[in-house]
Amino acid sequence: MGRTPTPVTTESLTFRSDVTVELVKSSASDADVLFAARVSTAGEQSLDELKKDPERSKGLINYLMRDRHGSPFEHNSMTFFISAPIFVFREFMRHRVGWSYNEESGRYRELQPVFYVPDASRKLVQQGRPGKYVFVEGTPAQHEAVRGTLEESYEQAYAAYQKLLAEGVAREVARAALPVGLYSSMYATCNARSLMHFLGLRTQHELAKVPSFPQREIEMVGEKMEAEWSKLMPLTYAAFNANGRVAP
């Protein structure tokens, strides 16, 4: 996944260009797909799949993926801790089916001064019209303008937030001064089917049948989630890629 950027702290503010994704807990394996699928023909004997090597039934997993028999891929669970800019979470929560979220609250805690500033790898310039555009590299001057302008804006916004808190204004009101580049954190729980749908929309991949055009910052989250899931359910993951990265 590359080297994790080191956050930059300027006085009381911290500037980051990365995201955090940690797999907190999981109950997810390829065997979960197999026992759920085989109950339709084997009834209670389908429980025997939990004791067998899933490798012997990878053909069934591929068949289910290819012909889009999706429900067997729902009998598992993964919970991730995610730290990312608020604007990433606003996109994330468009994914509602098969997902559960709990995010830190600006009503109940003082929000920390951690803000997003893209690094030099972030493409800055959009060319073309909506529905038919590409992003291209920014110039050094544009990168410097983004960095300087965002840092200045963040400093002013957080100072305004602190001023309101010092005046005794409730946190839920004072937070209105803060921008969407502020980092937040949440737990997100999903199953393999809902995660595959997310990855199909929020990542770009050479094996994808259907092109996707995600914002880079949510793609960064998706890539880290995908890396964790691929280790938990390698046969399911291989079938997902082999069949064009289309959720069943």
Side-chain angles (χ1 to χ4, degrees):
M1 302 302 294
R3 185 178 64 85
T4 300
T6 301
V8 177
T9 301
T10 304
E11 297 180 355
S12 62
L13 276 64
T14 297
F15 304 117
R16 293 178 56 183
S17 61
D18 63 331
V19 297
T20 298
V21 176
E22 297 178 13
L23 181 65
V24 176
K25 64 176 183 175
S26 65
S27 174
S29 71
D30 293 314
D32 298 333
V33 180
L34 296 172
F35 82 76
R38 287 211 161 103
V39 72
S40 61
T41 56
E44 68 277 5
Q45 294 178 6
S46 61
L47 290 171
D48 293 340
E49 292 299 329
L50 294 173
K51 305 172 186 176
K52 297 178 182 178
D53 181 3
E55 183 73 25
R56 60 187 288 275
S57 297
K58 62 182 180 182
L60 174 57
I61 292 177
N62 189 71
Y63 158 74
L64 295 170
M65 190 77 69
R66 184 194 69 209
D67 286 16
R68 305 194 73 184
H69 296 290
S71 59
F73 298 100
E74 297 176 3
H75 295 270
N76 56 83
S77 178
M78 294 163 278
T79 298
F80 297 92
F81 172 79
I82 301 169
S83 176
I86 288 174
F87 66 80
V88 170
F89 290 173
R90 299 296 81 83
E91 285 199 331
F92 215 117
M93 292 174 186
R94 296 179 66 84
H95 298 267
R96 299 180 294 278
V97 178
W99 288 90
S100 298
Y101 303 107
N102 278 92
E103 185 182 353
E104 71 174 280
S105 174
R107 298 182 68 193
Y108 303 123
R109 68 173 305 215
E110 182 176 330
L111 298 172
Q112 300 304 299
V114 183
F115 297 92
Y116 176 72
V117 176
D119 63 19
S121 68
R122 178 55 159 101
K123 295 180 179 179
L124 294 182
V125 180
Q126 178 178 328
Q127 294 180 343
R129 63 181 188 276
K132 193 176 182 181
Y133 59 82
V134 296
F135 282 89
V136 298
E137 303 291 341
T139 65
Q142 287 172 323
H143 278 283
E144 182 58 29
V146 168
R147 184 198 62 78
T149 300
L150 286 180
E151 289 184 4
E152 180 182 4
S153 174
Y154 293 152
E155 288 167 358
Q156 293 175 352
Y158 199 74
Y161 174 64
Q162 289 292 305
K163 181 177 185 297
L164 291 174
L165 293 179
E167 293 286 344
V169 174
R171 288 184 291 267
E172 65 182 46
V173 176
R175 65 179 174 173
L178 296 172
V180 295
L182 180 78
Y183 273 71
S184 186
S185 60
M186 72 171 178
Y187 291 105
T189 298
C190 63
N191 59 57
R193 190 183 192 186
S194 55
L195 180 57
M196 284 186 278
H197 183 260
F198 176 88
L199 295 175
L201 290 172
R202 301 300 182 180
T203 62
Q204 292 182 314
H205 198 282
E206 60 183 4
L207 297 177
K209 286 182 180 178
V210 181
S212 182
F213 307 95
Q215 182 164 341
R216 177 55 191 155
E217 288 75 14
I218 197 169
E219 184 179 37
M220 290 159 58
V221 173
E223 290 170 347
K224 290 178 178 287
M225 297 175 76
E226 180 172 345
E228 295 291 346
W229 171 56
S230 68
K231 292 180 284 188
L232 295 172
M233 303 178 72
L235 300 181
T236 302
Y237 179 64
F240 175 58
N241 282 319
N243 290 278
R245 293 175 66 88
V246 175

